[in-house]
Amino acid sequence: MQTLAIGEGRTGILLSGMCIIVAQLTMVGAAKVCGDYSRRYGRKGLFLVGFFTVPVRCFILYFLTGIVDENGLHPTWAQLVTLSTQILDGVGAGTFGTMYILVTSDISGGTGRFSMTLGLTTAAMSIGGTVSGYLGQALAQDIGYRQAFTILGFMSMVPAILYLFCMPETLPDYASGGGKPKVKAMTSIAEEAHGDEEDAKDMSKPYVELT
């Protein structure tokens, strides 16, 4: 976005603003989808979508910057592709921002340590975002945008692969559909208790023997 804004004047500045708008709108939609469907399809699949959007976006921008560097121009189609990659950015941000809270809740549920665990995961995410921003800027200035996208893309694949193979599904059984049987069970318990009360009332009535 920086090179487009500098090289294309007003058009580049407009495109940079559109990139931010597209990413934010997509992030809101992705967060909504995760909140609605994480109980139905599980946490892991949706979280992996958020993880893998980062390396995919890096590799798309890697090839795009290579084409732009060879031609020395920023054609319209390249600007549109750059804008479309912000959709992946919004999907990743919205998915990750929602799912890490849900996964933290699943892991720490019933332990009384949810706030502490959420604080640790939020701190780790904030530190990673700060280091990533600094590292990306330093790499882009020292070795160029294309090499920076390559390094950051491979780095982002490490947590995605670790989560894919090492992290189990954290969605509790009762949250994925086990809640309804529990409600039925509680209803039957209440009915049984009510029946016992009726029996007790019948037994408390005075017994009259007919002769």
Side-chain angles (χ1 to χ4, degrees), residues 49-72:
V49 171
F51 271 114
F52 280 103
T53 53
V54 179
V56 170
R57 180 168 175 254
C58 287
F59 291 132
I60 291 176
L61 291 173
Y62 166 80
F63 291 110
L64 182 62
T65 51
I67 295 174
V68 172
D69 291 341
E70 291 177 0
N71 298 328

Side-chain angles (χ1 to χ4, degrees), residues 24-101:
Q24 293 297 317
L25 292 177
T26 310
M27 180 181 66
V28 173
K32 172 65 174 175
V33 170
C34 290
D36 292 341
Y37 294 98
S38 61
R39 290 185 60 181
R40 181 180 302 179
Y41 300 109
R43 320 287 202 207
K44 187 172 182 178
L46 292 174
F47 213 165
L48 286 174
V49 171
F51 271 114
F52 280 103
T53 53
V54 179
V56 170
R57 180 168 175 254
C58 287
F59 291 132
I60 291 176
L61 291 173
Y62 166 80
F63 291 110
L64 182 62
T65 51
I67 295 174
V68 172
D69 291 341
E70 291 177 0
N71 298 328
L73 301 173
H74 298 89
T76 303
W77 67 266
Q79 297 178 6
L80 294 177
V81 173
T82 303
L83 182 62
S84 65
T85 58
Q86 292 301 106
I87 297 176
L88 295 175
D89 184 25
V91 171
T95 302
F96 197 88
T98 304
M99 296 309 300
Y100 95 93
I101 298 176

Side-chain angles (χ1 to χ4, degrees), residues 44-206:
K44 187 172 182 178
L46 292 174
F47 213 165
L48 286 174
V49 171
F51 271 114
F52 280 103
T53 53
V54 179
V56 170
R57 180 168 175 254
C58 287
F59 291 132
I60 291 176
L61 291 173
Y62 166 80
F63 291 110
L64 182 62
T65 51
I67 295 174
V68 172
D69 291 341
E70 291 177 0
N71 298 328
L73 301 173
H74 298 89
T76 303
W77 67 266
Q79 297 178 6
L80 294 177
V81 173
T82 303
L83 182 62
S84 65
T85 58
Q86 292 301 106
I87 297 176
L88 295 175
D89 184 25
V91 171
T95 302
F96 197 88
T98 304
M99 296 309 300
Y100 95 93
I101 298 176
L102 295 177
V103 172
T104 302
S105 176
D106 296 339
I107 296 174
S108 60
T111 64
R113 298 183 179 88
F114 170 72
S115 297
M116 184 187 71
T117 308
L118 183 62
L120 291 174
T121 54
T122 304
M125 186 176 66
S126 301
I127 293 172
T130 303
V131 174
S132 175
Y134 173 78
L135 182 62
Q137 180 181 4
L139 291 174
Q141 290 180 350
D142 294 339
I143 60 178
Y145 285 101
R146 196 176 191 191
Q147 290 75 13
F149 282 128
T150 303
I151 295 173
L152 294 176
F154 279 107
M155 289 178 62
S156 64
M157 289 184 65
V158 174
I161 294 175
L162 287 176
Y163 194 91
L164 175 62
F165 292 104
C166 300
M167 188 70 177
E169 175 61 58
T170 60
L171 180 66
D173 294 335
Y174 64 83
S176 60
K180 293 182 178 179
K182 286 179 179 292
V183 172
K184 293 181 180 179
M186 292 299 294
T187 304
S188 62
I189 291 173
E191 292 176 351
E192 292 177 0
H194 181 69
D196 294 339
E197 291 178 358
E198 294 294 335
D199 295 339
K201 290 180 180 179
D202 294 338
M203 294 179 63
S204 64
K205 293 179 179 179

